[in-house]
């Protein structure tokens, strides 16, 4: 039988069969992704084949279908362990908060680079709008302008009181959307607000560290009653880049990509080369300096390959 993986705990998987039944599955045999070592061989969003175990309620996954795409991360800086966050996605929504807990621009950029590397359209949702002071709203507007200018859709919402949540709904219809972000930014609260039937567990922010408490521990796919699916995921602290070469990194910054042919040298690294249009654009504030800093930070990190 063929089915879609809707929940993964690492040791068992919940699979929605094409006949509409849900069954708990275990894995047998080895599943590999293009030679990449992952801590989870099968992820939510994967299509699999499985066989019912005789005299039991459970089944065994026998085959993993090739993935259209996926979002992958290195769990700790420079570790070889990688984790597939979700597979076969139509788009990815990064939930961001400027405070409680803070999300850095560097983290946002790493997420966007990963999505670009697999050609997955990304949406930025700035949550907890109800907490913003006048000053905070100015910073929010600046942040949103950076990403809107590049072409990423940005929304400011409050999952708690429902402000602007309707605008998100219309972007989700009939699509499979991965929801990611730091712990405590309100991913599960937002999904509950979009689809109350989901009834996901949510958790308070720690008083002393201003960080989330990793309330969601497993990735899980939620059906949207108006069409489409959302994947709730555990909060991530860091997003280590996987499988990107230094010389292709600039292609994953859309505002750099559109200028690349104009550098004097075809193999320009955009670091200190004469006639580099990227450096020129940064100088003229046509490319945001925070974005360029993220480029340099990822470029110089050993996580990207020569
Ligand atoms: N003020 C305010 N609080 C919010 C909002 N959205 C979520 N919260 C609160 O933020 C805390 C964390 O929310 P969760 O939905 O559990 O966060 P999460 O991103 O799912 O966190 P993990 O599952 O740990 O990754 C809870 O106390 C929520 O009530 C919001 O729009 N405004
Ligand atoms: Mg959660
Ligand atoms: Zn250049």
């Amino acid at each position: 039988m063929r089915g879609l993986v809707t929940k993964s705990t690492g040791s068992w998987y919940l699979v929605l069969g094409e006949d509409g039944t849900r069954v708990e599955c275990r894995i047998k045999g080895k599943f590999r992704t293009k030679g990449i070592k992952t801590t989870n061989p099968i992820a939510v969003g994967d299509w699999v084949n499985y066989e019912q175990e005789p005299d039991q309620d459970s089944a065994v996954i026998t085959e993993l279908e090739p993935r259209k795409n996926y979002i992958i991360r290195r769990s700790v800086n420079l570790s070889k362990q990688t984790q597939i966050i979700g597979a076969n996605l139509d788009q990815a929504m990064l939930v961001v908060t400027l405070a409680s807990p803070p999300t850095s621009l560097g983290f946002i950029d790493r997420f966007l680079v990963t999505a670009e590397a697999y050609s997955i359209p990304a949406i930025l949702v700035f949550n907890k709008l109800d907490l913003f002071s006048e000053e905070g709203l100015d910073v929010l507007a600046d942040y949103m302008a950076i990403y809107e200018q590049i072409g990423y859709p940005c929304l400011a919402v409050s999952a708690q009181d429902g402000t602007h949540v309707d605008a998100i709904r219309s972007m989700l219809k009939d699509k499979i959307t991965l929801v990611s972000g730091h712990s405590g930014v309100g991913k599960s609260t937002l999904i509950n607000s979009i689809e109350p039937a989901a009834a996901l567990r949510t958790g308070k922010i720690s008083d002393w560290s201003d960080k989330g408490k990793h309330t969601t521990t497993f990735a899980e796919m939620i059906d949207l009653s108006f069409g489409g699916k959302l994947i709730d995921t555990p909060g991530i602290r860091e997003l280590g880049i996987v499988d990107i070469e230094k010389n292709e990194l600039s292609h994953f910054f859309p505002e750099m990509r559109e200028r690349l042919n104009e550098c004097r040298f075809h193999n320009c690294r955009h670091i200190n080369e004469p006639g580099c249009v990227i450096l020129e654009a940064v100088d003229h504030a046509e490319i945001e300096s925070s974005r360029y800093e993220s480029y340099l930070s990822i470029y110089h990190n050993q996580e990207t390959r020569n």
Side-chain angles (χ1 to χ4, degrees):
M1 175 104 75
R2 185 170 179 262
L4 176 64
V5 177
T6 61
K7 185 169 182 172
S8 142
T9 69
S11 51
W12 60 267
Y13 303 87
L14 193 60
V15 176
L16 174 62
E18 282 188 317
D19 63 354
T21 58
R22 284 181 199 265
V23 60
E24 265 184 34
C25 292
R26 285 170 202 289
I27 344 183
K28 205 164 84 186
K30 285 193 176 141
F31 301 94
R32 289 180 172 222
T33 309
K34 277 198 302 180
I36 298 172
K37 268 193 204 152
T38 58
T39 51
N40 58 335
I42 289 177
V44 171
D46 271 331
W47 282 93
V48 296
N49 280 294
Y50 60 96
E51 284 165 12
Q52 198 71 36
E53 285 188 288
D55 310 321
Q56 287 182 44
D57 295 339
S58 57
V60 173
I61 295 175
T62 51
E63 201 190 326
L64 168 65
E65 290 187 10
R67 295 174 173 128
K68 170 174 96 169
N69 60 32
Y70 51 85
I71 287 206
I72 188 169
R73 70 172 193 121
R74 218 175 277 287
S75 21
V76 194
N77 219 358
L78 296 188
S79 83
K80 288 217 170 68
Q81 297 280 27
T82 62
Q83 185 198 11
I84 296 183
I85 304 179
N88 301 316
L89 310 167
D90 293 318
Q91 55 188 9
M93 187 166 92
L94 185 67
V95 182
V96 171
T97 43
L98 299 194
S100 314
T103 306
S104 69
L105 291 175
F107 180 84
I108 297 176
D109 293 337
R110 282 167 167 270
F111 187 87
L112 295 176
V113 162
T114 301
E116 290 288 339
Y118 295 94
S119 305
I120 299 169
I123 303 168
L124 295 180
V125 172
F126 294 83
N127 189 30
K128 309 203 183 185
L129 190 58
D130 56 289
L131 294 182
F132 281 75
S133 63
E134 209 58 17
E135 243 168 80
L137 288 172
D138 287 345
V139 178
L140 177 68
D142 289 347
Y143 273 36
M144 287 175 70
I146 294 176
Y147 294 101
E148 274 167 349
Q149 198 190 350
I150 302 164
Y152 293 110
C154 294
L155 292 164
V157 308
S158 168
Q160 185 162 285
D161 65 23
T163 308
H164 300 158
V165 169
D166 267 340
I168 301 184
R169 274 197 197 96
S170 62
M171 302 179 89
L172 303 179
K173 191 167 157 40
D174 299 332
K175 297 210 163 108
I176 297 184
T177 307
L178 179 90
V179 183
S180 189
H182 287 320
S183 177
V185 293
K187 299 178 291 298
S188 302
T189 308
L190 183 64
I191 295 172
N192 286 342
S193 165
I194 294 165
E195 189 64 47
L200 297 169
R201 214 158 63 81
T202 61
K204 285 210 160 39
I205 302 293
S206 159
D207 285 338
W208 56 272
S209 72
D210 199 28
K211 285 189 177 140
K213 290 177 176 165
H214 295 278
T215 307
T216 304
T217 44
F218 306 121
E220 182 175 0
M221 188 181 268
I222 285 107
D223 283 321
L224 296 170
S225 49
F226 53 88
K229 293 169 190 296
L230 281 178
I231 303 176
D232 190 17
T233 61
I236 47 179
R237 190 170 307 151
E238 287 175 82
L239 197 100
I241 303 270
V242 180
D243 216 22
I244 291 183
E245 289 175 20
K246 292 189 194 301
N247 64 19
E248 63 179 358
L249 179 60
S250 55
H251 294 258
F252 304 137
F253 286 76
E255 72 274 48
M256 294 193 187
R257 186 165 61 216
E258 66 186 22
R259 295 174 160 94
L260 291 177
N261 296 331
E262 298 157 34
C263 289
R264 185 180 307 162
F265 302 112
H266 79 278
N267 57 349
C268 186
R269 299 167 307 157
H270 325 299
I271 293 176
N272 54 11
E273 291 83 351
C276 172
V277 294
I278 301 299
L279 288 172
E280 218 169 273
V282 175
D283 270 350
H284 295 151
E286 288 159 16
I287 288 179
E288 193 63 38
S289 58
S290 67
R291 291 278 294 169
Y292 182 64
E293 277 162 30
S294 292
Y295 170 79
L296 287 182
S297 151
I298 299 170
Y299 189 97
H300 289 302
N301 196 308
Q302 289 172 50
E303 65 196 335
T304 48
R305 291 176 286 127
N306 272 306

